[in-house]
Amino acid sequence: TPLYSSAASDVYKRQDNDLLAAKVAKLVKADLLIILSSVNGLYDSEEAVKTQKSEALVKEVTKISSKVKKMAGQASNMGKGGMISKIDAAEICFKNKSDMVIASGIRNKPIRSLNGKGKATWFVKK
């Protein structure tokens, strides 16, 4: 049962959409949380986010380590928490045996692009 969140859907401006989605995913015991963002996923540095170089995109995260948190950088001006809140959402998902993916919601048919060809970061606990 996939569940998705979009940073573009300012439904709950007073709350962080990513954390709210992770909590709902927990409640409904979702297998997968899809977070659509303005970027393709987690990049290995803040500089890489600006250039969005494909080789700097982290394809898979199996554990939320301090290194992963450092990659998330600072909170963005666009939302309440930027990539940091997405990493926090991934931690909630991991604790509840749910996977999560971050992908760009800007492209056409963003969920269909996740079939293996699309650029995204998958959070899969092993």
Side-chain angles (χ1 to χ4, degrees), residues 43-117:
Y43 286 89
D44 62 13
S45 70
E46 285 190 70
E47 186 60 36
V49 173
K50 296 172 189 168
T51 60
Q52 293 197 30
K53 291 182 180 179
S54 293
E55 61 273 7
L57 181 66
V58 177
K59 305 276 190 230
E60 184 178 84
V61 175
T62 58
K63 179 182 177 186
I64 307 298
S65 63
S66 58
K67 180 181 176 183
V68 169
K69 288 184 178 188
K70 186 175 181 182
M71 286 182 216
Q74 303 297 317
S76 74
N77 295 332
M78 299 274 297
K80 292 194 178 276
M83 193 57 67
I84 294 169
S85 70
K86 289 167 181 53
I87 299 302
D88 290 343
E91 283 185 303
I92 292 169
C93 289
F94 277 179
K95 288 177 185 173
N96 295 289
K97 298 178 180 140
S98 178
D99 294 336
M100 188 181 98
V101 62
I102 302 169
S104 173
I106 297 171
R107 67 179 73 138
N108 288 332
K109 301 179 182 175
I111 295 175
R112 284 189 185 171
S113 73
L114 295 174
N115 67 359
K117 298 177 186 174

Side-chain angles (χ1 to χ4, degrees), residues 1-3 25 28-33 93 96-100 123:
T1 309
L3 182 70
V28 300
K29 298 180 180 165
D31 298 318
L32 175 66
L33 172 60
C93 289
N96 295 289
K97 298 178 180 140
S98 178
D99 294 336
M100 188 181 98
F123 293 81

